[in-house]
Amino acid sequence: MFNGIFFVADANKNFISKTLIVPAKNAFFSAISDSVTQLFNRKSDRLKLEDPRFEQHFSVYSNDQIEARYLLTPAMMERLVEFVVKAKSKVSLSFIDNNIYIAISNSKNYFEPALFTQSDSFESVQDIAHDLQFVIDIVNDLDLNTRIWTKH
């Protein structure tokens, strides 16, 4: 079972590979990464990237190292590190079928008023507005609206 936010967006790039980005040094995600080969139905390798700060937060697996580096530009890696620090949650991503899938693990019940509080109180409305801003910030923080490459 997953608790948190699952977000899907157009990756703004064409690609045919499958790339998985999981939190580094996490037993649960290590078990997942061990079965990445089966998930992708072909050989997937762990990528060593040049950004040590990114490597502290994430492990990357892909069935095409060249295309994975095309997707994970230095600017994107920097934005991902800044986002995971800001989110204060485990963040996993995948690039599959020209989409980016983002899973932000968190026990918070997003877009729901707190239990035993008035749902129309200022605090409840403010909390829901904060949740909405967090989701909007995913797009802004990861620069998902910028279309640099024309998709064919």
Side-chain angles (χ1 to χ4, degrees):
M1 183 139 186
F2 174 75
N3 284 332
I5 295 177
F6 188 76
F7 187 88
V8 181
D10 182 359
N12 287 335
K13 294 182 180 184
N14 286 322
F15 53 90
I16 58 172
S17 65
K18 295 178 181 178
T19 300
L20 179 66
I21 304 158
V22 295
K25 302 174 189 167
N26 180 297
F28 174 73
F29 287 108
S30 293
I32 289 175
S33 63
D34 289 342
S35 62
V36 166
T37 301
Q38 293 173 348
L39 176 69
F40 289 163
N41 291 326
R42 53 197 234 202
K43 189 174 186 315
S44 294
D45 295 320
R46 166 95 160 70
L47 270 74
K48 277 300 253 180
L49 297 166
E50 294 75 26
D51 186 333
R53 194 162 167 236
F54 182 84
E55 290 279 318
Q56 287 177 344
H57 292 278
F58 296 103
S59 295
V60 179
Y61 298 85
S62 183
N63 57 6
D64 185 333
Q65 290 206 17
I66 294 170
E67 206 164 66
R69 292 173 194 281
Y70 162 71
L71 295 168
L72 289 171
T73 63
M76 176 59 118
M77 288 189 287
E78 184 177 324
R79 286 191 301 269
L80 285 170
V81 168
E82 289 171 5
F83 179 75
V84 76
V85 169
K86 175 183 171 183
K88 297 179 187 165
S89 298
K90 296 288 184 189
V91 177
S92 301
L93 302 98
S94 62
F95 290 92
I96 301 173
D97 295 331
N98 296 326
N99 288 319
I100 181 172
Y101 298 85
I102 305 169
I104 304 165
S105 181
N106 196 315
S107 61
K108 181 181 184 337
N109 290 324
Y110 289 91
F111 305 108
E112 293 183 19
L115 197 57
F116 305 116
T117 61
Q118 239 181 313
S119 61
D120 63 347
S121 71
F122 179 75
E123 291 80 17
S124 291
V125 172
Q126 191 174 26
D127 285 345
I128 291 172
H130 183 270
D131 292 346
L132 183 58
Q133 188 62 53
F134 178 74
V135 173
I136 292 169
D137 285 347
I138 294 171
V139 175
N140 295 332
D141 292 348
L142 298 180
D143 198 24
L144 299 177
N145 275 340
T146 302
R147 185 174 296 276
I148 299 171
W149 296 269
T150 303
K151 293 179 79 170
H152 302 287

